[in-house]
Amino acid sequence: TAAKSRIWVQLAGGARAERMTTEFAGIRAKKPGLFARRIAHVAELKGWSRLLVGPFKSEEEAQDFVKDLH
């Protein structure tokens, strides 16, 4: 059985993980309906944090999300 793909979109990044919640709130406030069924996640690695949203079923779905966001 093949593993399901997990595609996420990066919304922001920075050295301060504690800022990601504020960043997400600001981004979500601009288009709340777009985030109705999306989960935000902060990934941390070696002093850098990435604010991600997803998962998406396909790259096309992720690209559509990005287009709608902008």
Side-chain angles (χ1 to χ4, degrees), residues 12-56:
R16 296 177 55 198
E18 67 275 8
R19 293 275 310 137
M20 295 299 119
T21 301
T22 303
E23 290 290 331
F24 182 64
I27 295 167
R28 183 178 55 198
K30 293 176 184 174
K31 294 201 175 177
L34 193 57
F35 293 91
R37 288 173 270 157
R38 297 286 170 214
I39 299 168
H41 178 74
V42 177
E44 297 181 58
L45 181 64
K46 297 182 181 180
W48 189 258
S49 298
R50 296 171 32 188
L51 175 60
L52 308 170
V53 67
F56 295 90

